[in-house]
Amino acid sequence: MSKAIFLTIQLASITTVLLLLVSLPLAWWLSQTKTHLKPWIEAVFSLPMVLPPTVLGFYLLIGMGPDSFIGKISEAIGLGQLTFSFTGLVIGSVFYSLPFVLQPIQNAFEAVGKAPLELALTSGSNYWQAVT
């Protein structure tokens, strides 16, 4: 198998796992919360969908560059330089793909509603049993 194909499969696998780990709890919280900050939070997480990919890539390069705050922290904890590395590629892929995963999952949680959770709670389950 070619090195490029292996790298693509590796990137897709890691990105998918990280997106699920981040998106599921965040989508659940956004679907259940009543805070007045919800539209603002949704807008922030939708930014990668609205910005052109070249602008988003430029901002990520600036934000993860060696002279940036994130770049200095990554070098201090031993991750090395993030720009033009596999770790930076994973971060960029997760950041770009987050709204495309978060919004459908949030919509699915909202479509299900609170009836199954309320039913589980009234039948004697505690909150953690009802949620899982």
Side-chain angles (χ1 to χ4, degrees), residues 79-90:
L79 288 176
Q81 187 174 353
L82 292 176
T83 53
F84 306 109
S85 68
F86 185 75
T87 305
L89 191 60
V90 169

Side-chain angles (χ1 to χ4, degrees), residues 11 57 59-93:
L11 175 65
Y59 287 156
L60 285 173
L61 279 174
I62 298 299
M64 293 189 306
D67 294 332
S68 70
F69 178 72
I70 296 171
K72 288 179 182 177
I73 288 176
S74 71
E75 288 186 20
I77 62 173
L79 288 176
Q81 187 174 353
L82 292 176
T83 53
F84 306 109
S85 68
F86 185 75
T87 305
L89 191 60
V90 169
I91 292 170
S93 295

Side-chain angles (χ1 to χ4, degrees), residues 2-130:
S2 113
K3 187 175 181 179
I5 293 173
F6 178 72
L7 182 67
T8 303
I9 292 171
Q10 185 180 13
L11 175 65
S13 302
I14 293 171
T15 301
T16 302
V17 169
L18 289 176
L19 281 170
L20 288 174
L21 289 174
V22 170
S23 296
L24 282 171
L26 186 59
W28 171 260
W29 180 77
L30 284 171
S31 69
Q32 303 298 315
T33 188
K34 301 278 190 229
T35 181
H36 65 281
L37 295 175
K38 181 179 175 180
W40 293 97
I41 295 169
E42 289 174 334
V44 167
F45 284 110
S46 297
L47 275 177
M49 194 182 313
V50 178
L51 291 174
T54 53
V55 173
L56 185 63
F58 177 73
Y59 287 156
L60 285 173
L61 279 174
I62 298 299
M64 293 189 306
D67 294 332
S68 70
F69 178 72
I70 296 171
K72 288 179 182 177
I73 288 176
S74 71
E75 288 186 20
I77 62 173
L79 288 176
Q81 187 174 353
L82 292 176
T83 53
F84 306 109
S85 68
F86 185 75
T87 305
L89 191 60
V90 169
I91 292 170
S93 295
V94 168
F95 189 74
Y96 177 75
S97 302
L98 187 63
F100 297 103
V101 175
L102 181 65
Q103 288 180 356
I105 294 174
Q106 179 185 351
N107 291 338
F109 282 144
E110 288 172 354
V112 168
K114 294 185 180 183
L117 178 63
E118 291 170 355
L119 181 63
L121 290 173
T122 57
S123 66
S125 300
N126 64 31
Y127 181 78
W128 291 110
Q129 289 173 331

